[in-house]
Amino acid sequence: MSDTCVTVSCREWISTVTIDNQPDNYFDKDILAEMNKTVSEVHAGQADLRVVLFTAKGRNFSAGIDYASLAKMNKEEAGHFAEVGYSLLKHIEALPVPVIAAVKGETTGAGLGLALAADIRIASSDAVFSFPEARFGVPPIFGSSQRLYKTVGVGRAKELLFTGRTVDADEALRIGLVNSVVPPDALDEEAERLAVRIGGNS
């Protein structure tokens, strides 16, 4: 899995899935496919699994997809790419255990879409969020727009999608995009503490 910049570590009843495609942690088709495989295998391989935690190496959770690379795809390639990403987010939502996303830095586009597929989002205070697709003339992919409006409401979701503007961590907390905000150096510790607290319930 390290070849495609995705790793999974399991400790007791918590599985941590880590993205490591620095600096922006972009998703390409190989990473999406490996994450699909990882998410599918995480629950099957752990009968006592209670929590899944998504994290990322480096300063950014994920800036989503590289739009320059997307523009070079033909229609069939772009369609397949979108299907793989859509399938990944559906797999995350279908996990029968709580899913936490620990987000930081750039958490935008498909990266934000992945975070929205989680049940709980804990953000570092340096995190910024946006769906920049409007600036590139493409729609949000992977079903992200539906997850956004279910999280922050239709009116707020439309405004964010139509403008493509950036939301900082404090505003994200205020509008319900994230559940909590912590200092950057405390993100990993707080996310693990939350996972342990949730997993420790009967």
Side-chain angles (χ1 to χ4, degrees):
M1 282 183 283
S2 59
D3 290 342
T4 53
C5 309
V6 180
T7 59
V8 59
S9 60
C10 302
R11 185 174 61 83
E12 296 177 350
W13 23 256
I14 300 171
S15 278
T16 300
V17 179
T18 303
I19 306 163
D20 187 4
N21 187 27
Q22 301 180 53
D24 296 310
N25 287 326
Y26 280 133
F27 299 148
D28 60 25
K29 66 180 188 304
D30 293 328
I31 290 176
L32 291 175
E34 191 60 39
M35 289 184 74
N36 254 312
K37 180 182 177 184
T38 298
V39 170
S40 297
E41 292 177 348
V42 155
H43 186 254
Q46 277 192 280
D48 58 348
L49 180 68
R50 293 193 175 189
V51 183
V52 173
L53 173 62
F54 279 91
T55 64
K57 295 287 188 181
R59 56 188 172 83
N60 299 314
F61 179 72
S62 174
I65 61 175
D66 180 355
Y67 292 101
S69 297
L70 180 65
K72 296 176 183 177
M73 296 181 189
N74 61 38
K75 185 176 180 179
E76 182 178 335
E77 290 171 334
H80 177 69
F81 180 76
E83 287 177 7
V84 173
Y86 181 81
S87 175
L88 170 62
L89 269 58
K90 291 295 288 184
H91 279 155
I92 293 171
E93 289 180 322
L95 284 170
V97 298
V99 180
I100 301 168
V103 299
K104 58 187 175 180
E106 292 281 341
T107 304
T108 57
L112 178 51
L114 187 149
L116 287 168
D119 299 296
I120 298 172
R121 287 159 294 285
I122 180 170
S124 68
S125 57
D126 65 354
V128 291
F129 308 88
S130 72
F131 280 107
E133 287 85 351
R135 301 198 297 269
F136 297 95
V138 297
I141 58 176
F142 307 164
S144 298
S145 58
Q146 293 93 328
R147 293 180 179 87
L148 179 64
Y149 84 70
K150 289 177 182 178
T151 304
V152 302
V154 174
R156 180 75 69 183
K158 287 181 177 180
E159 183 251 326
L160 294 176
L161 292 169
F162 295 164
T163 63
R165 74 178 180 86
T166 298
V167 172
D168 65 19
D170 288 338
E171 182 179 0
L173 179 61
R174 190 167 65 250
I175 66 176
L177 192 60
V178 300
N179 298 85
S180 61
V181 175
V182 300
D185 60 358
L187 179 63
D188 292 341
E189 181 181 348
E190 289 300 324
E192 185 165 340
R193 181 177 296 149
L194 178 61
V196 169
R197 180 176 181 181
I198 290 173
N201 290 328
S202 62

